[in-house]
Amino acid sequence: MAEPNTNPPRPVKIIAGADPFGTDLKDALVSHLRSINIEVEDLGTSSYYSIGAEVGRRVSSSSAETRGLVSCGTGVGVGMFANKYPGVFAATCLTPSDAQNARSINNSNVLAISGKSTSKDSAIEILNTWLNTPFKAPCPASESKPWDDEVLCFLDNSVAEMSKIGKEDEEKESSGSCSICCLVKNRELNPIEMIPGGSMKIVRESPTSAIVRFKAGSVEPAHHHTFGHDLVVMEGRKSVWNMSKGERFDLSVGDYLFTPAGDVHRVKYYEDTEFFIKWDGHWDMFFDEDLETAKSAIEKETV
C-alpha cells in the first residue's frame, strides 16, 4: 500500500491510463511529463473501470514517489475505480484551482482528467499545478493564505485516518467469509522436520486436508507421494516444477494446482507462503534428491 507522505517531492514516476474518450488527452499529458523528465509507465487504453482500477492498484502498491494519471470522458469514472484501492486519493480536476485544492487538502496522488471537456493546454496547466503543489500548501480554499494551526493539525491526521476507513469492515468480512481461514485460525502449525522452513497442521482426516506454511527462501527438494494432491495458495508466492512432466507452475494468492500421484516435483518459495492442501490417504513423502542439489538446480533455472 502507498505510504502517506505529508511533504513529498515532485513524483519520480507517473502511472497513466485512459479509456477511449480520454486517450488523446492522456497521450498529450504523457508526452508533457516525459518532456519534463518524469518517468511514465503508460498502461494504454481500456474501459474506464478497468484502467482506473489498474492504475489505482499499481499506485496503491508503490511508494509515495509514484502517482497516477487517468482520463476518461468526464474524468469521474476512472477516478471512482482508482479509489477502490487503499492509500489512493484520486481527484477529478477540471481547473488548476481544483488541482491545487486536491493536493493541498486531500494529498491527492492520482489525477483524473476529463477528455471531453478539457483542452490540451488547460490539461497541461492542471497537471503542472497538481505536480507542483505540496500537501498543506496555500490554495484557493485557504484564500491562498497558509492554513491556521487548527486546520494544519487536522490535515496532519487526515491522511492516516482516511487510510483506515473501510479496513475494519474488510477485516470482519474476510474473517467471516473464508472457511479455510476459519479452520486455521488460532491453530498452531507443527514444523515439518524433513524440510527446513516448513510447518503444517492437519485440519481433517480421510480425505485429509492441511494448512501448510513455508518461510521465504525455503526449498522443497524433488520428491513424490503415493497420492495425488490439490492445493490452493492463500498467501505468498511459489514455483512448482513438475519434473515428471517437464512443466513449471508459478503460483500466487488464489491459484490452484493438482499434482498426480507419483509425479516428482520440486518447489521454491519466494515469499512467506501459506496454502491449503488436500489428499486421500495417509501422508507420505519420498525424496528424489537432497536439498543442496535442489537449491543448485533452482538457482540455474531462475537466473
Side-chain angles (χ1 to χ4, degrees):
M1 174 180 146
E3 293 294 328
N5 187 336
T6 58
N7 190 25
R10 175 183 280 203
V12 298
K13 181 178 179 179
I14 296 286
I15 300 171
D19 81 349
F21 294 105
T23 297
D24 288 346
L25 191 59
K26 180 267 297 178
D27 289 346
L29 295 178
V30 165
S31 295
H32 173 69
L33 287 166
R34 287 172 173 157
S35 75
I36 57 175
N37 298 318
I38 292 180
E39 179 186 353
V40 181
E41 181 179 357
D42 189 352
L43 303 184
T45 303
S46 186
S47 63
Y48 75 86
Y49 43 87
S50 58
I51 199 68
E54 182 61 17
V55 171
R57 184 184 70 80
R58 295 193 186 209
V59 171
S60 176
S61 61
S62 300
S63 68
E65 287 72 34
T66 297
R67 298 189 202 165
L69 170 68
V70 286
S71 181
C72 65
T74 64
V76 174
V78 281
M80 289 171 59
F81 283 90
N83 278 328
K84 295 284 186 181
Y85 290 85
V88 173
F89 307 114
T92 302
C93 298
L94 302 179
T95 67
S97 292
D98 289 343
Q100 239 182 325
N101 287 334
R103 284 289 306 137
S104 172
I105 301 168
N106 310 115
N107 200 26
S108 165
N109 56 2
V110 174
L111 174 64
I113 295 282
S114 167
K116 292 182 73 69
S117 62
T118 308
S119 69
K120 175 183 172 181
D121 289 342
S122 294
I124 289 174
E125 185 180 2
I126 291 168
L127 176 59
N128 285 340
T129 302
W130 184 79
L131 290 172
N132 295 322
T133 302
F135 181 47
K136 301 184 293 184
C139 64
S142 69
E143 299 179 345
S144 299
K145 300 174 184 176
W147 293 106
D148 62 38
D149 291 343
E150 183 178 356
V151 174
L152 285 174
C153 181
F154 167 78
L155 294 175
D156 281 333
N157 294 324
S158 65
V159 174
E161 290 178 353
M162 287 189 293
S163 298
K164 295 176 184 176
I165 293 174
K167 278 191 175 180
E168 291 183 2
D169 292 339
E170 288 176 3
E171 289 170 359
K172 289 177 183 177
E173 182 180 341
S174 174
S175 64
S177 63
C178 177
S179 58
I180 295 175
C181 296
C182 291
L183 283 172
V184 74
K185 189 176 182 181
N186 298 324
R187 290 177 182 263
E188 183 178 350
L189 275 65
N190 301 314
I192 301 174
E193 295 181 359
M194 295 180 288
I195 309 176
S199 58
M200 180 172 71
K201 180 68 177 181
I202 302 292
V203 294
R204 181 182 173 182
E205 299 279 0
S206 297
T208 308
S209 55
I211 300 295
V212 182
R213 291 180 186 147
F214 275 92
K215 295 179 180 178
S218 297
V219 169
E220 293 185 54
H223 62 280
H224 64 278
H225 309 280
T226 58
F227 50 80
H229 57 76
D230 307 84
L231 69 82
V232 177
V233 178
M234 301 162 59
E235 178 182 341
R237 189 167 61 89
K238 60 188 278 190
S239 288
V240 178
W241 287 266
N242 187 317
M243 300 163 68
S244 297
K245 293 184 169 60
E247 297 175 324
R248 171 177 171 171
F249 302 92
D250 296 317
L251 307 177
S252 57
V253 176
D255 287 339
Y256 164 85
L257 179 66
F258 172 71
T259 301
D263 277 16
V264 177
H265 53 290
R266 179 192 291 139
V267 187
K268 165 76 173 182
Y269 296 89
Y270 304 103
E271 303 171 359
D272 289 349
T273 301
E274 184 170 287
F275 56 93
F276 176 80
I277 185 170
K278 180 179 76 67
W279 68 92
D280 290 319
H282 294 289
W283 174 260
D284 61 31
M285 190 172 192
F286 303 95
F287 287 99
D288 298 281
E289 67 181 359
D290 60 35
L291 183 59
E292 292 307 315
T293 300
K295 287 182 177 179
S296 176
I298 290 172
E299 185 177 353
K300 292 177 182 177
E301 175 81 17
T302 54
V303 168

